Amino acid sequence: MADTAPLRVAVSANFNGTFNELAHAYQREFNQPFLISSGSSGSLFAKIKHAAPYHLFFSADKVRPILLEKAGLVVENSRFTYAIGIPVLWSKDTDLLTSAGDKVLETHSFKHLAMADPRVAPYGLAAKQIMQRLELWEDLNSNTQIVKAQSIGQAYGQIASEAAELGFLSLSQVKDRDGAIGGSYWIPPQHLYEPIEQQAVILNYAKKTPHIFDSAVQFLSWVRNSETATTIIKNSGYKINQPSIANQATLIRSKKGIIEQ
């Protein structure tokens, strides 16, 4: 049936687990199926530029949604910030990061540090910025102690398998549902990196099928405004810019795209 056609969603690797929670909650309430593809924001951006059939894009930054918007590939007025990301330096070793993480980086008391490639992954870029502002990037990178993964999901795998003793990830990847974080960790202060403003957009491909477009608009309104979605995102390890109830926007369809009401 038309009203149960799946929404095809490209989701940044750091947000994949959280998005699956959102999708399950939404599906229980509205019977909406999803087809989810996850990867680095850069790789998903490249696929969208080459006409990959996605209806929605949840990026780990705002740069790529803005570029898609400028390229005319995004439904007008659909772009918004759904989460503010928090990077974390994490290790399975419960003793490695018992002191400040910057001290561990300074002393080089490890063989390998995993991170996502800063060219394609916003959390990788944040990790590079942190090490640059600590004046450690050139030294660590030239000594081949840094192992770059294609996505933050791959970086997590390298640390979890102990191929790397520690690495930079998203807080959401290491935070359990009860709020506990295993191993040891260090959350860098905000002044060491540019804010990770994660944005979502409806892609023009969604407009090819009217009921899909309607479904995409309704889902983004739910993510943006519902208490259920806000709670899931916050509990997963993100900050969120939540407007007051009086100022919350409802997205509705228009001939050009969507409008806020």
Side-chain angles (χ1 to χ4, degrees):
M1 294 177 62
D3 61 349
T4 58
L7 284 174
R8 297 177 178 270
V9 190
V11 181
S12 63
N14 76 286
F15 198 67
N16 187 43
T18 305
F19 186 87
N20 274 275
E21 284 193 57
L22 291 171
H24 289 317
Y26 191 78
Q27 190 169 16
R28 285 195 300 270
E29 188 172 353
F30 297 101
N31 194 34
Q32 173 64 59
F34 294 82
L35 289 176
I36 303 167
S37 297
S38 180
S40 70
S41 295
S43 64
L44 294 172
F45 169 79
K47 290 178 182 179
I48 292 167
K49 289 274 286 185
H50 288 88
Y54 298 127
H55 303 127
L56 295 165
F57 178 36
F58 279 71
S59 180
D61 65 4
K62 65 179 181 180
V63 174
R64 290 169 178 87
I66 289 173
L67 289 174
L68 291 174
E69 191 174 58
K70 289 180 178 178
L73 298 175
V74 168
V75 172
E76 185 178 352
N77 295 328
S78 68
R79 180 171 59 84
F80 80 104
T81 299
Y82 64 88
I84 306 296
I86 302 174
V88 61
L89 182 63
W90 180 74
S91 174
K92 284 184 70 176
D93 186 339
T94 56
D95 297 320
L96 184 58
L97 293 167
T98 52
S99 61
D102 54 343
K103 302 303 181 186
V104 173
L105 296 177
E106 286 176 9
T107 58
H108 295 210
S109 55
F110 56 91
K111 290 183 179 179
H112 295 105
L113 180 150
M115 59 178 280
D117 189 334
R119 296 173 297 179
V120 298
Y123 281 84
L125 178 59
K128 181 179 179 180
Q129 290 171 348
I130 291 164
M131 288 183 278
Q132 284 177 324
R133 291 176 185 180
L134 292 173
E135 299 183 350
L136 298 171
W137 171 255
E138 295 299 333
D139 191 18
L140 291 172
N141 197 39
S142 62
N143 287 334
T144 67
Q145 286 184 274
I146 295 177
V147 180
K148 299 184 184 75
Q150 286 303 304
S151 72
I152 202 167
Q154 288 184 10
Y156 176 84
Q158 290 169 342
I159 306 165
S161 67
E162 300 183 357
E165 296 99 308
L166 75 168
F168 282 97
L169 300 171
S170 163
L171 180 61
S172 64
Q173 291 175 289
V174 299
K175 185 178 180 182
D176 294 336
R177 290 186 178 221
D178 61 2
I181 302 174
S184 57
Y185 66 97
W186 173 61
I187 298 178
Q190 172 63 72
H191 71 268
L192 292 178
Y193 62 94
E194 298 301 316
I196 305 173
E197 192 172 344
Q198 302 191 190
Q199 292 194 340
V201 290
I202 301 176
L203 300 165
N204 283 345
Y205 181 76
K207 293 196 292 186
K208 292 187 176 183
T209 311
H211 68 266
I212 286 290
F213 186 25
D214 287 340
S215 296
V217 170
Q218 290 165 11
F219 177 64
L220 278 201
S221 285
W222 180 84
V223 170
R224 192 172 185 175
N225 296 322
S226 77
E227 185 176 347
T228 299
T230 298
T231 299
I232 290 172
I233 294 170
K234 284 183 176 179
N235 289 347
S236 294
Y238 297 93
K239 296 177 182 178
I240 190 166
N241 290 334
Q242 183 70 7
S244 66
I245 296 298
N247 293 327
Q248 285 180 354
T250 299
L251 306 181
I252 62 173
R253 241 185 109 164
S254 72
K255 291 182 179 179
K256 290 183 66 178
I258 62 174
I259 58 176
E260 295 183 354
Q261 179 173 280

